[in-house]
Amino acid sequence: EQYRLGNLRRDAKLELARLREQLRLRREAAATLLQQQLRLWILRLKAKRELIRLRRLRACRFIQQHVRLWRLRRRAKEELIRLRRIARAKVIQRERAKEELIRLRRIARAKVIQREVRLWRLRLRAKEELIRLRRHAAAVKIQRVAWRWLQRRIDAAVVMQRQWRVQLQRRHRRRTAAAVQLQRQWRAQLRRRQERRVAAARVLQRRWRHELRRRYGRLIAAVVRVQRFVRRWRLRRKAQQELRRRRREAAVVKIQRHVRQWLRRIKRKRKARQERKLKKERQAPEHSPSALSFASSPRTHLKYTI
């Protein structure tokens, strides 16, 4: 009987060792499965990160392409504005050259008019001098022929000469005043034309400066919109990264909690099984049929408990 009980105990110990080995293998298989799942989750996470990185890279390339296109358009606009400014400057230079040519022509015409007036004055003076000389010669001849008769009328001739000279001086003064008045009016007209041109140039400059300020304001507004878009995109990306990080941390914490709960449940089950076993061994004597039944059926008991 003791030999039989020893064999039963040996078989029970062997069966218990085999069950422990099976439990260890199952634990290792569960740990391997958990590691595989964890590795798959890590691979999926890496794939998601790579996908996110590719999307970000694609978005960056898209933004860079748009920024480069915008820079090219801005450079083209600036080049067009510069060419327009050069064309306008050339047009203004041509206008100024035309105005200078017109001014020179007017000055030349004025010089021609002045020269003609001076020649006319010289001719008039020569004619007057010739007339005066002829008259003087005639008077001398008359004086020689009729000295006696003209002696009585010398005072009258002197008076006539004085009046004639006064009349000539008046004519000369009138012609000189007319020429001076003509020159003054011509200079005043030239001055008014120059003032009109200066006023028109000022108005053109004022409008052009207003247009430049308006274009600069539009450019600044476009830059501000681009900066606002980029900042919003960065904030959204940062918020998405923070949300993904929190979700990952929450997932890791959840997995750790479930693993710890599963380990605690296994530990409690193992401890309860050992306590029940010890309790049954203490309550039942070695030669009782209950001990034999317990020793003969540990496989089924441990199978169901596991």
Side-chain angles (χ1 to χ4, degrees):
E1 186 68 24
Q2 289 180 358
Y3 179 73
R4 181 183 176 187
L5 288 174
N7 290 330
L8 290 174
R9 287 177 183 176
R10 193 181 306 111
D11 293 337
K13 287 180 181 181
L14 292 173
E15 187 67 21
L16 183 61
R18 189 178 63 80
L19 291 174
R20 287 178 181 177
E21 185 67 21
Q22 289 180 359
L23 182 62
R24 185 181 63 80
L25 292 175
R26 288 181 182 178
R27 288 177 183 175
E28 290 179 357
T32 304
L33 182 62
L34 183 62
Q35 289 178 358
Q36 289 178 357
Q37 293 295 327
L38 187 60
R39 287 169 185 170
L40 287 174
W41 179 79
I42 290 170
L43 290 174
R44 290 173 185 172
L45 186 62
K46 288 182 179 179
K48 287 182 180 179
R49 288 181 180 176
E50 186 67 23
L51 182 61
I52 292 168
R53 188 181 67 80
L54 292 174
R55 288 179 180 175
R56 290 175 183 171
L57 183 61
R58 192 180 301 168
C60 291
R61 289 178 180 173
F62 181 75
I63 292 170
Q64 287 177 356
Q65 289 178 359
H66 279 274
V67 171
R68 288 170 184 167
L69 288 174
W70 175 76
R71 286 181 179 175
L72 291 174
R73 290 174 184 171
R74 186 180 65 180
R75 289 177 183 173
K77 287 183 181 179
E78 290 177 355
E79 187 67 21
L80 182 61
I81 291 168
R82 187 178 66 81
L83 293 174
R84 287 180 179 175
R85 289 177 182 173
I86 293 170
R88 290 178 182 174
K90 289 182 179 179
V91 171
I92 292 170
Q93 288 179 359
R94 290 176 185 173
E95 292 293 332
R96 289 178 180 175
K98 288 181 181 179
E99 292 175 358
E100 187 67 21
L101 182 61
I102 292 168
R103 187 178 67 82
L104 293 174
R105 287 179 180 176
R106 288 173 181 171
I107 292 171
R109 290 174 184 174
K111 288 181 180 180
V112 171
I113 292 169
Q114 289 178 358
R115 186 168 60 252
E116 293 294 331
V117 171
R118 287 169 186 167
L119 289 173
W120 175 74
R121 286 180 183 175
L122 290 174
R123 289 173 186 170
L124 185 61
R125 287 178 184 176
K127 287 180 182 180
E128 290 176 353
E129 188 68 22
L130 183 61
I131 292 169
R132 188 179 65 80
L133 291 173
R134 285 178 182 177
R135 288 176 181 176
H136 181 68
V140 171
K141 189 176 181 180
I142 290 169
Q143 286 177 1
R144 286 177 183 178
V145 174
W147 176 256
R148 293 178 182 178
W149 182 78
L150 290 176
Q151 189 68 33
R152 297 176 183 176
R153 297 187 179 180
I154 290 174
D155 295 335
V158 171
V159 171
M160 287 177 65
Q161 288 178 0
R162 188 182 296 113
Q163 289 179 356
W164 180 250
R165 288 171 184 169
V166 169
Q167 187 176 2
L168 290 176
Q169 288 178 358
R170 288 177 181 174
R171 287 181 182 178
H172 179 68
R173 289 175 182 174
R174 288 175 184 174
R175 289 169 183 170
T176 304
V180 172
Q181 184 67 24
L182 181 62
Q183 290 179 356
R184 188 183 296 113
Q185 290 179 358
W186 181 252
R187 290 171 183 170
Q189 187 176 3
L190 289 176
R191 193 181 299 109
R192 286 194 296 272
R193 289 181 181 178
Q194 185 67 22
E195 290 177 355
R196 289 175 184 173
R197 289 170 186 165
V198 171
R202 287 177 180 174
V203 171
L204 184 61
Q205 289 177 357
R206 192 182 301 112
R207 290 180 180 177
W208 180 245
R209 288 170 184 169
H210 179 69
E211 183 67 20
L212 288 177
R213 285 195 296 270
R214 188 167 61 83
R215 291 181 181 179
Y216 181 73
R218 290 180 180 176
L219 182 61
I220 293 298
V223 171
V224 170
R225 286 195 296 272
V226 172
Q227 290 178 352
R228 190 184 299 113
F229 175 76
V230 173
R231 288 170 184 168
R232 289 178 180 174
W233 177 76
R234 287 181 177 177
L235 289 174
R236 287 197 298 269
R237 185 180 65 179
K238 189 174 181 180
Q240 290 176 359
Q241 290 178 356
E242 185 67 22
L243 182 61
R244 292 191 188 97
R245 186 182 63 79
R246 291 181 180 178
R247 287 179 178 176
R248 290 168 189 169
E249 291 179 356
V252 170
V253 171
K254 188 174 182 180
I255 290 169
Q256 290 177 355
R257 186 171 60 252
H258 283 290
V259 170
R260 288 169 183 168
Q261 289 178 0
W262 178 72
L263 291 174
R264 282 196 297 270
R265 284 197 301 271
I266 291 174
K267 189 174 181 180
R268 283 197 299 270
K269 288 180 180 180
R270 186 188 298 171
K271 188 175 181 180
R273 187 170 62 251
Q274 290 178 359
E275 288 178 356
R276 286 196 300 271
K277 183 178 178 183
L278 291 173
K279 189 175 180 180
K280 288 181 179 180
E281 287 179 356
R282 289 176 183 176
Q283 288 178 359
E286 294 182 357
H287 59 277
S288 64
S290 61
L292 294 176
S293 64
F294 176 76
S296 62
S297 61
R299 185 179 300 175
T300 56
H301 177 71
L302 290 175
K303 183 178 179 181
Y304 287 111
T305 55
I306 291 169

